[in-house]
């Protein structure tokens, strides 16, 4: 830990004349002061260990460690991961983890790549986050073609790899996705859908379950893999048609395989802003990412798989002006304002519909796409020492912010700097000295539904008869409004998130939810792995309500028009919790808390 202190210690805050002028100009033009890199849950307690089921809610990040040991430790301790995220997803390249045959011996010949993943996973486990691994690619020694990368493995090799990973991470990793963007030929160049299902999905799932069922048994979630929303990309051999038609066939093929569906807990979709800003493919069959969610949900229901859920695979929202971005607000530019709008809509529509996981890339990476929630930081000062014009001071007094994409090659003390593909500049940042990108603040607000490292399950579902989230307000209007609810088992608290672009902080809103966890169509029913029904506040018990309602500045991410108030105590009647709040604004969080000793949880472990 002593070795990390130079990187973690907050530097003496030096404010130059230029910086003062920039701050003054920002406030003058926007009316929004600059927030610092702080998380939404600094007061959160460490949650007890629990089994992650498909009734649990998670909002987190996709973290790809850079291979710099101290840098990774610093990154994992940033608020976006340590405070805001309830789970962390890691992509694990088989070719990277086991590049040479001897790398299958994790004890004696573990690769540097796998060591970096190991360290990052351990850090997340210590911090209380759940962990998910996503597999992709194949090493040359295990592939049928002798090539490394997106090539099919020899028969029997993938299941051995999956078993090795499951044994190595058992007790630390809670969820596995078996393949990445599995509908594309580019991810399995010489394979087809039959090989993917039989050799990777079925054998891989069997191998992981076999390991986890071995004493001491450990629960695990398994899902097949996500699908790329690319209409123009060449699709995996054996699928009908192309683009959205082939993607539809992909899910039909998975659902028709009863053996596979008996092995997996959920199916996956990519949650992204691809093509038109909202995850569109052909504009008809799949006109948005939430439309894709509905398509998969309908297919599962029609086949009797109501118990199977839909989880996020890869998720992304582009913030820069690259060709992958989209001008969704119509101002003639593609920038962080568009990312703000896309994050608001995509996460709102998907979470409200019943997706219980969503993740966005934690930081700007070295790829050609700019998707990070946060900016990369000069954690140990070496970039400034080597290239002072590549960094700038941060507004929180911490490590400098990188002005552009850089590849850092080497170790913490000796790395060299290389330009990364399609580098952006500080001029592309809407709020240059903020360590976070603008859409981080919207993502962070949504993350509160998942409670950080607390144990949180889905509660009421919007528009579900008998289990609805009821909102009455002249301000719950406009083009977009969303409502979602969760039950925080750690804190014994119901949480409701409400967004409405018709609210302005000048009107009232009445909110009502069931006072206990009820049986739902998709959640908390007989198919659930754990029985949480009946938990909550019984009739005759007392409760209070804490409300925070605000807007979020579209230039800096700062909270605007914040109104906070505690209401009650009230008496639980007719199995409902009710509150009428004042000054209803666009972003609202409502917490219903018991005032006396909480009831014993009927589904407690």
């Amino acid at each position: 830990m002593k070795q990390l202190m130079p990187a973690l210690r907050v530097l003496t805050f030096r404010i130059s004349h230029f910086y003062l002028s920039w701050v003054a100009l920002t406030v003058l033009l926007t009316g929004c002061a600059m927030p610092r890199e702080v998380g939404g849950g600094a007061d959160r307690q460490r949650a007890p260990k629990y089994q992650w089921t498909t009734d649990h809610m998670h909002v987190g990040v996709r973290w790809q460690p850079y291979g710099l040991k101290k840098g990774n430790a610093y990154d994992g301790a940033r608020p976006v991961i340590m405070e805001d995220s309830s789970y962390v997803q890691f992509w694990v390249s088989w070719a990277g983890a086991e590049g040479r045959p001897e790398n299958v011996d994790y004890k004696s010949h573990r690769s540097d790549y796998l060591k970096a993943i190991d360290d990052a996973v351990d850090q997340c486990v210590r911090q209380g986050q759940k962990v998910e691994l996503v597999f992709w690619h194949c090493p040359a020694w295990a592939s049928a073609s002798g090539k490394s990368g997106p090539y099919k493995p020899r028969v029997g090799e993938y299941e051995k790899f999956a078993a090795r990973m499951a044994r190595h991470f058992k007790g630390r990793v809670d969820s596995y996705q078996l393949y990445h963007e599995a509908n594309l030929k580019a991810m399995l160049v010489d394979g087809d859908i039959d090989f993917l299902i039989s050799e990777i999905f079925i054998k891989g799932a069997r191998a992981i379950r076999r390991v986890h069922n071995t004493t001491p048994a450990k629960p695990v979630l398994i899902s097949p893999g996500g699908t790329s929303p690319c209409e123009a990309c060449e699709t995996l051999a054996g699928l009908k048609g192309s683009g959205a038609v082939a993607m539809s066939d992909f899910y039909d093929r998975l659902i028709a395989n009863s053996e596979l569906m008996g092995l997996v807990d959920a199916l996956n979709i990519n949650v992204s802003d691809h093509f038109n800003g909202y995850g569109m493919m052909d504009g008809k069959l799949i006109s948005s990412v939430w439309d894709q969610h509905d398509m998969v949900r309908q297919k599962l229901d029609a086949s009797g798989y109501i118990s199977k859920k839909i989880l996020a695979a890869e998720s992304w929202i582009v913030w820069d002006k690259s060709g992958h971005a989209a001008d969704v607000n119509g101002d003639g530019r593609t920038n962080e304002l568009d990312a703000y709008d896309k994050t608001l809509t995509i996460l709102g529509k998907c979470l409200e519909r019943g997706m219980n996981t969503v993740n966005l890339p934690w930081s700007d990476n070295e790829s050609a796409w700019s998707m990070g929630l946060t900016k990369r930081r000069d954690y140990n000062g070496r970039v400034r020492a080597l290239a002072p014009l590549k960094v700038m001071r941060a507004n929180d007094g911490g490590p400098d912010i990188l002005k552009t994409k850089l590849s850092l090659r080497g170790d913490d003390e000796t790395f060299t700097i290389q330009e990364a593909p399609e580098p952006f500049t500080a001029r592309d940042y809407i709020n240059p000295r903020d360590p976070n990108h603008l859409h981080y603040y919207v993502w962070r607000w949504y993350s509160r539904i998942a409670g950080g490292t607390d144990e949180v399950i889905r509660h009421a579902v919007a528009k579900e008869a008998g289990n609805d989230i009821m909102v009455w307000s002249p301000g719950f209007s406009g083009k977009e409004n969303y409502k979602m609810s969760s039950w925080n088992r750690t804190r014994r608290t119901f949480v409701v998130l409400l967004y409405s672009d018709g609210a302005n902080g000048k009107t009232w809103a009445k909110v009502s939810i069931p006072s206990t966890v009820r049986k739902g169509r998709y959640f908390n029913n007989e198919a659930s792995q754990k029985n949480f029904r009946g938990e909550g506040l019984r009739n005759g018990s007392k409760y209070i309500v804490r409300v925070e309602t605000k807007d979020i500045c579209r230039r800096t991410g700062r909270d605007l028009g914040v109104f906070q108030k505690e209401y009650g105590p009230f008496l639980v009647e007719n199995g409902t919790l009710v509150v009428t709040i004042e000054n209803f604004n666009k972003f609202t969080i409502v917490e219903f808390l018991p005032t006396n000793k909480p009831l014993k949880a009927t589904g407690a472990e």
Side-chain angles (χ1 to χ4, degrees):
M1 187 64 186
K2 290 181 180 179
Q3 293 177 327
L4 294 177
M5 290 309 294
L8 297 173
R9 186 181 298 119
V10 177
L11 302 179
T12 302
F13 194 32
R14 295 178 294 172
I15 306 179
S16 66
H17 173 73
F18 169 78
Y19 182 56
L20 279 171
S21 301
W22 184 84
V23 172
L25 180 61
T26 300
V27 174
L28 177 66
L29 293 177
T30 69
C32 304
M34 296 182 302
R36 298 186 178 185
E37 187 185 22
V38 294
D43 64 334
R44 286 172 179 155
Q45 64 192 49
R46 178 66 57 84
K49 290 185 177 181
Y50 63 91
Q51 177 185 345
W52 176 5
T53 73
T54 52
D55 286 323
H56 285 83
M57 297 192 73
H58 286 295
V59 177
V61 294
R62 187 173 77 250
W63 180 18
Q64 292 307 117
Y66 290 112
L68 300 165
K69 190 175 181 64
K70 294 178 182 178
N72 291 340
Y74 173 82
D75 290 338
R78 290 182 69 176
V80 67
I81 294 180
M82 186 171 71
E83 296 176 8
D84 302 323
S85 295
S86 63
Y87 87 120
V88 179
Q89 181 187 94
F90 295 92
W91 289 1
V92 178
S93 164
W94 183 7
E98 299 181 351
R100 300 188 303 272
E102 59 266 29
N103 292 143
V104 302
D105 180 355
Y106 297 167
K107 184 176 181 180
S108 302
H109 299 285
R110 188 164 36 128
S111 65
D112 290 341
Y113 175 95
L114 187 54
K115 289 177 183 177
I117 297 290
D118 253 329
D119 290 343
V121 166
D122 285 343
Q123 183 165 355
C124 290
V125 172
R126 287 194 302 271
Q127 293 172 175
Q129 286 95 20
K130 293 294 184 181
V131 176
E132 179 176 60
L133 302 186
V134 182
F135 298 146
W136 65 322
H137 281 186
C138 179
W141 64 264
S143 74
S145 64
K147 300 177 182 178
S148 177
Y151 301 96
K152 71 177 183 180
R154 295 193 306 272
V155 171
E157 290 292 351
Y158 180 87
E159 62 182 305
K160 295 176 186 176
F161 163 67
R164 286 191 293 270
M165 296 298 287
R167 283 192 295 270
H168 185 66
F169 287 106
K170 185 177 179 180
R172 294 185 289 159
V173 168
D174 308 274
S175 179
Y176 290 89
Q177 290 182 33
L178 299 169
Y179 213 69
H180 170 60
E181 294 191 335
N183 62 315
L184 298 185
K185 178 178 180 179
M187 289 296 167
L188 198 60
V189 175
D190 50 354
D192 59 21
I193 184 64
D194 292 325
F195 181 90
L196 178 74
I197 291 175
S198 63
E199 194 65 22
I200 293 178
F201 289 166
I202 291 178
K203 289 185 179 181
R206 274 184 188 162
I208 294 171
R209 291 226 180 269
R210 189 160 49 243
V211 169
H212 277 258
N213 288 337
T214 302
T215 304
K218 296 287 184 179
V220 66
L221 285 179
I222 300 177
S223 53
T227 50
S228 172
C230 180
E231 181 70 14
C233 295
E234 192 171 358
T235 55
L236 182 65
L239 292 175
K240 297 177 182 177
S242 62
V245 173
M247 183 181 285
S248 177
D249 185 47
F250 173 85
Y251 290 109
D252 286 340
R253 295 288 296 271
L254 268 57
I255 293 170
N257 192 304
S258 59
E259 184 178 12
L260 173 64
M261 294 303 290
L263 288 166
V264 300
D265 301 284
L267 299 185
N268 318 92
I269 65 171
N270 279 25
V271 177
S272 78
D273 63 345
H274 196 66
F275 189 31
N276 72 340
Y278 296 109
M280 171 181 172
M281 288 190 71
D282 61 342
K284 295 180 181 180
L285 186 61
I286 299 177
S287 58
S288 65
V289 63
W290 54 92
D291 186 56
Q292 180 182 346
H293 173 279
D294 292 347
M295 179 189 76
V296 178
R297 183 71 268 165
Q298 290 164 9
K299 289 177 182 293
L300 286 168
D301 291 357
S303 298
Y305 289 115
I306 291 178
S307 65
K308 302 297 181 183
K309 309 302 192 295
I310 302 170
L311 305 180
E314 176 188 11
S315 302
W316 76 81
I317 290 172
V318 179
W319 66 259
D320 70 354
K321 60 185 179 182
S322 69
H324 301 294
D327 178 21
V328 299
N329 59 25
D331 65 359
R333 295 175 292 175
T334 54
N335 57 20
E336 292 187 57
L337 288 173
D338 295 293
Y340 178 110
D341 291 332
K342 291 183 288 187
T343 303
L344 180 63
T345 302
I346 292 171
L347 268 61
K349 287 186 178 292
C350 289
L351 286 170
E352 184 183 62
R353 272 169 162 74
M355 285 199 73
N356 275 7
T357 63
V358 66
N359 62 81
L360 293 180
W362 74 279
S363 179
D364 293 328
N365 56 23
E366 299 173 2
S367 75
W369 297 27
S370 300
M371 303 176 288
L373 287 166
T374 67
K375 299 165 188 171
R376 199 166 178 185
R377 304 193 74 160
D378 186 14
Y379 65 97
N380 64 355
R382 180 166 171 78
V383 176
R384 175 171 286 279
L386 295 174
L389 296 180
K390 298 290 187 183
V391 298
M392 60 184 167
R393 299 297 184 190
N395 66 14
D396 64 354
D400 290 343
I401 294 168
L402 271 59
K403 292 182 178 180
T404 186
K405 265 182 202 174
L406 297 176
S407 295
L408 308 182
R409 296 290 180 255
D411 59 31
D412 293 281
E413 285 73 32
T414 65
F415 65 71
T416 57
I417 298 174
Q418 300 175 20
E419 290 283 348
E422 295 187 23
F424 47 76
T425 70
R427 290 190 297 273
D428 294 311
Y429 297 151
I430 199 164
N431 190 358
R433 296 184 186 275
D434 185 354
N436 306 303
H437 287 296
L438 183 61
H439 68 302
Y440 160 81
Y441 296 98
V442 177
W443 169 89
R444 185 181 70 176
W445 180 78
Y446 278 118
S447 77
R448 295 182 70 177
I449 197 66
T453 58
D454 293 345
E455 181 183 8
V456 174
I457 64 167
R458 172 76 66 167
H459 180 223
V461 177
K463 303 177 183 179
E464 186 171 272
N467 194 34
D468 198 357
I469 306 160
M470 307 300 295
V471 181
W472 301 267
S473 172
F476 198 65
S477 59
K479 181 182 177 182
E480 296 183 73
N481 47 74
Y482 310 112
K483 51 186 181 178
M484 56 201 71
S485 177
S486 66
W487 167 237
N488 188 315
R489 299 188 75 227
T490 303
R491 296 178 181 269
R492 318 307 297 172
T493 303
F494 287 107
V495 177
V496 178
L497 290 190
L498 304 172
Y499 174 79
S500 175
D501 61 11
N504 58 13
K506 298 179 181 179
T507 189
W508 56 272
K510 183 177 180 181
V511 182
S512 175
I513 59 171
S515 65
T516 58
V517 176
R518 295 181 181 175
K519 175 182 176 180
R521 176 171 173 79
Y522 298 112
F523 305 102
N524 301 306
N525 52 38
E526 290 81 1
S528 297
Q529 293 169 283
K530 295 285 183 178
N531 178 20
F532 304 115
R533 297 190 299 280
E535 295 187 16
L537 285 71
R538 302 285 189 181
N539 284 335
S541 61
K542 294 180 181 180
Y543 66 97
I544 59 173
V545 187
R546 292 176 186 160
V547 173
E548 177 187 281
T549 184
K550 65 183 182 180
D551 198 358
I552 297 177
C553 179
R554 291 175 53 80
R555 298 294 302 182
T556 68
R558 174 179 176 251
D559 290 347
L560 300 175
V562 178
F563 174 79
Q564 295 175 319
K565 188 171 181 177
E566 184 174 291
Y567 297 88
F570 303 112
L571 196 68
V572 181
E573 297 180 291
N574 301 316
T576 59
L577 305 172
V578 183
V579 68
T580 300
I581 62 178
E582 310 158 60
N583 306 326
F584 183 56
N585 216 327
K586 289 180 171 59
F587 296 85
T588 301
I589 181 167
V590 183
E591 297 179 274
F592 295 91
L593 306 90
T595 60
N596 48 13
K597 186 177 180 180
L599 297 168
K600 183 179 180 181
T602 58
E605 298 171 31

